[in-house]
Amino acid sequence: MGRVDNKTIIVTGAAAGIGYEIAKRLVAEGARVVLADVRAEAAAEAAASLGEAASGVALDVRDDAAWGRMMEQAAMHFGRIDGVVNNAGIAATSQPQDVEQVAVEDWRAIQAVNVEGVLLGCQHAIRALRQAGGSIVNLSSIAALVGTPTLAAYGASKAAVTQLTKTVALHCARKGYKIRCNSVHPGLVATGLFEATFSAEERAEKLKTIPLGEFAKPQEVAAMVLYLVSDESAHVTGARFVIDGGMTMA
């Protein structure tokens, strides 16, 4: 028996990286997974690699109407929805992000995906889950927990996700919806994008900031998400889970 047998879970930003590893682990543990991504072809290819329990759909998380269509189609296709993982996000811009120089248009672009996209995901998840209950997992970052002088817009967006998670959790608890909402805070994760973005020398310098001496694996983030969407975490809500090898501790 899998840990999420027969559950239907939506995962955004699931065509690659952490999102794909989350979807892959959920399918392996018995879930039916909708891989949603702004890149339609990549989402379809990623879903095909996971077999019949997975389906890929195009989704711009900033689009309220698109969220509604996707949730309706998923419910019709699978019969129900048990959880939503708001993983989609962006970090980099072409311009500096220090607080003196960050451009308003870059700030707004990051907030639109990372904050408004998560808000919409939570709103649509609540509508889908409030009758039978379920789990919402929001991917934040350790950037929400410390100062980020070179990533002002990104850090602010992830801090907003952290606060929104607690607000959603308390709202649902007070309404009696039996919907849990938690946030996951990865540190430096060894994805393909991470390795392509930083040189070997830059990665070596970043490694020195991790007390455990190694980068997180996407599979480790996926394992935490699996726990949070499973019934094993039935009494866990409004909490934050840090996966950073001790970076914030140090």
Side-chain angles (χ1 to χ4, degrees):
M1 295 288 288
R3 294 166 65 187
V4 284
D5 273 345
N6 300 317
K7 291 186 182 293
T8 299
I9 311 295
I10 312 290
V11 182
T12 68
I18 293 172
Y20 176 75
E21 291 299 332
I22 291 169
K24 182 178 178 180
R25 183 64 188 275
L26 294 176
V27 168
E29 293 287 347
R32 301 173 297 246
V33 181
V34 178
L35 289 77
D37 201 285
V38 70
R39 299 164 295 168
E41 289 188 12
E45 291 174 4
S49 74
L50 299 180
E52 295 183 358
S55 63
V57 298
L59 176 68
D60 183 338
V61 295
R62 301 168 298 179
D63 188 334
D64 190 10
W67 266 105
R69 290 191 297 271
M70 182 198 67
M71 296 295 280
E72 183 178 358
Q73 291 168 2
M76 289 179 61
H77 183 70
F78 291 112
R80 61 189 245 180
I81 296 172
D82 300 282
V84 174
V85 180
N86 289 306
N87 168 74
I90 58 175
T93 60
S94 59
Q95 302 298 319
Q97 267 193 55
D98 71 80
V99 74
E100 287 191 82
Q101 299 184 70
V102 62
V104 171
E105 56 268 28
D106 289 336
W107 176 279
R108 289 172 177 165
I110 288 176
Q111 309 311 312
V113 175
N114 292 5
V115 185
E116 293 172 24
V118 173
L119 170 65
L120 290 173
C122 289
Q123 288 180 330
H124 285 277
I126 291 169
R127 292 167 193 157
L129 301 174
R130 60 190 169 195
Q131 295 301 319
S135 175
I136 302 170
V137 181
N138 296 329
L139 269 289
S140 183
S141 167
I142 63 167
L145 310 177
V146 298
T148 55
T150 61
L151 290 171
Y154 179 75
S157 74
K158 291 302 185 179
V161 169
T162 305
Q163 199 283 337
L164 178 61
T165 297
K166 293 181 180 296
T167 295
V168 170
L170 190 55
H171 170 82
C172 290
R174 287 179 171 174
K175 288 284 188 178
Y177 289 158
K178 296 184 179 179
I179 298 172
R180 299 175 294 105
C181 186
N182 296 285
S183 58
V184 175
H185 300 251
L188 297 173
V189 183
T191 62
L193 179 61
F194 177 78
E195 293 181 357
T197 301
F198 300 103
S199 68
E201 292 77 13
E202 289 172 324
R203 294 199 299 274
E205 285 301 310
K206 291 182 180 297
L207 193 60
K208 295 177 184 178
T209 68
I210 305 176
L212 285 184
E214 58 185 9
F215 297 118
K217 301 178 181 65
Q219 293 86 350
E220 292 166 339
V221 181
M224 180 61 73
V225 174
L226 169 64
Y227 166 70
L228 292 172
V229 298
S230 77
D231 295 337
E232 297 165 13
S233 58
H235 203 59
V236 178
T237 195
R240 65 189 193 195
F241 294 83
V242 179
I243 307 173
D244 71 347
M247 289 180 70
T248 51
M249 170 183 67

